[in-house]
Amino acid sequence: MNLITNTISAVYNLLWGDLFTIPLPGGGSLGISLLVLMLIPTGIYFTIRTRFLPIRMFPEMLRVTAEKHVSSRQGSISGLQALVVSTATRVGMGNLIGVVAAISAGGAGAVFWMWVSALIGSSTAFIEATLAQLYREKDPLYGGYRGGPAYYIHRFVEQKLGGKTRRYSVIAVLFALSGLICWCGISQVISNSVSSAFQNAFEIPPLYTTLVLVALSAAIVLRKNATVKVLDVLVPIMAVCYFAMTIFLILKNITVLPSVFQRIFEEAFGIRQVVAGGFGAVVMNGVKRGLFSNEAGSGSAPCAAAAGDTGHPAKTGLLQALGVFIDTIVICSCTAFIMLVTPQDQVAGLEGMDLLQASMNYHLGRFGVVFIALMLGLFCFSTFIGILFYARSNVAYLFGDNWASQTAYKVVALVMLFIGGLAAYTFVWTWATWAWD
């Protein structure tokens, strides 16, 4: 067990630990991690090359969501349904605990840098989703199409080798395997989070919550094409409920809203943070949590984007760029505002879910605590259903087109879901936080 934990910690530190630091005035420093070094410059490059697409094409993103396209291929899903699937996985623990962690460590200014990461990430999401569309394949098992980074990486390698066809590409195999391992880790943290939240809110033993969660999940993911139908209903309901509750709380505390925005911008660029040596923490916590939540550049959302049928690859790219906006600018901001309109003396010394629950308890009493627990359950449940949709293409790339391998992976994920609900909190989060990030 210690060997596994130490290995996971070493990999996590390699990816998210400080690769190097930049000294800042006031004695502070800006720590740059490997993934931030890879994803942020890439996002900036794509933003410039697309001529600031997230801003310039935002009206077109909204227009494409209302556009109807009838596919001639049986089993295919619409671009909007692909957006729903990717939103289901983006909107999860990162929108609650991730935002709380960012503000706890970096202050209100971290919210601004989350918004910046979303702007940059939208361009990355557009590119990777468009690539997934360009190099997708027909799916003989589920119908429609499949694809993702494993497929377009494979095609790139073949082109570099002069068009010579090959069964596997090493980099594509590594990506597919890492995705499947990652999603097993996510499965554990999902059930662990839900069972813990329900125990705190309703005093339901973790075993009962876990059994119900696994049974509901199995009833959906073990059916051929139930995933998209369930998410079509679930995702809009949970997003609208959370957004509506946030709007209610903002209106209830409208008098403090100007001071909240003032605090966000002051702490994002403020002299106080620079002098105190905390400016690096503000920036990096905001950027890392933004990347953590919207997943732009991680290669997971393109697995859903490839399945969408919009009539043109760029339209799917625009929809996935909009997904980053929905996740970070809308849903993550909801959590941030719920916390920031709460008097600081009400949440002093609290962290994580305790902080968010204390905020909701201040605003709505016991109902607020119950509401957050239910939202957490819905966010996590939809994430699990969504990641198994992602897994289809990676399993097919590695093991070919057969129901045995598809079903086997689903069973493994369900087992991980069960184990996570009952396992020790610290081990699950050590593994799954690394896997998720």
Side-chain angles (χ1 to χ4, degrees), residues 81-322:
Q81 287 176 315
L83 172 62
V84 168
V85 173
S86 62
T87 300
T89 58
R90 285 188 174 113
V91 177
M93 284 296 296
N95 298 84
L96 298 177
I97 304 301
V99 175
V100 173
I103 296 176
S104 297
V111 177
F112 173 82
W113 296 106
M114 286 175 56
W115 294 340
V116 171
S117 73
L119 177 67
I120 296 171
S122 291
S123 301
T124 305
F126 171 81
I127 296 297
E128 61 182 358
T130 303
L131 282 172
Q133 279 276 307
L134 289 170
Y135 296 103
R136 65 184 182 176
E137 299 177 355
K138 292 180 180 179
D139 190 336
L141 290 180
Y142 293 96
Y145 301 92
R146 67 172 182 225
Y151 292 80
Y152 58 72
I153 290 171
H154 182 93
R155 291 286 294 275
F156 175 79
V157 171
E158 286 185 337
Q159 290 174 9
K160 286 296 181 181
L161 294 176
K164 183 179 179 181
T165 303
R166 54 192 298 166
R167 176 66 182 89
Y168 293 110
S169 161
V170 173
I171 299 177
V173 167
L174 289 175
F175 174 85
L177 281 173
S178 65
L180 296 180
I181 294 171
C182 164
W183 296 323
C184 278
I186 293 174
S187 299
Q188 290 205 69
V189 76
I190 283 170
S191 56
N192 191 273
S193 301
V194 174
S195 62
S196 298
F198 275 47
Q199 184 176 29
N200 293 335
F202 309 110
E203 298 183 356
I204 300 175
L207 176 61
Y208 298 157
T209 301
T210 304
L211 288 174
V212 172
L213 184 62
V214 171
L216 287 174
S217 301
I220 295 169
V221 302
L222 294 178
R223 293 180 61 189
K224 182 178 179 181
N225 284 316
T227 298
V228 175
K229 295 177 182 177
V230 171
L231 293 180
D232 269 347
V233 176
L234 183 60
V235 171
I237 289 175
M238 70 183 194
V240 169
C241 286
Y242 195 56
F243 182 69
M245 180 59 71
T246 304
I247 295 299
F248 170 75
L249 293 179
I250 289 175
L251 293 175
K252 183 182 175 183
N253 298 273
I254 193 70
T255 56
V256 302
L257 193 59
S259 63
V260 168
F261 278 104
Q262 181 180 2
R263 183 182 168 195
I264 289 174
F265 288 104
E266 281 184 351
E267 293 191 16
F269 301 101
I271 299 298
R272 179 173 64 83
Q273 281 69 33
V274 175
V275 173
F279 183 67
V282 174
V283 176
M284 279 300 103
N285 277 285
V287 169
K288 287 181 179 180
R289 289 304 113 183
L291 295 173
F292 171 93
S293 180
N294 63 50
E295 300 182 14
S298 70
S300 53
C303 297
D309 201 353
T310 58
H312 194 283
K315 290 182 179 180
T316 299
L318 290 173
L319 285 170
Q320 293 301 319
L322 181 64

Side-chain angles (χ1 to χ4, degrees), residues 25-38:
S29 61
L30 182 65
I32 307 296
S33 67
L34 179 60
L35 282 182
V36 170
L37 186 64
M38 294 170 65

Side-chain angles (χ1 to χ4, degrees), residues 83 87 91 95 239 319 321-332:
L83 172 62
T87 300
V91 177
N95 298 84
L319 285 170
L322 181 64
V324 173
F325 175 88
I326 293 171
D327 172 84
T328 307
I329 304 297
V330 178
I331 304 299
C332 284

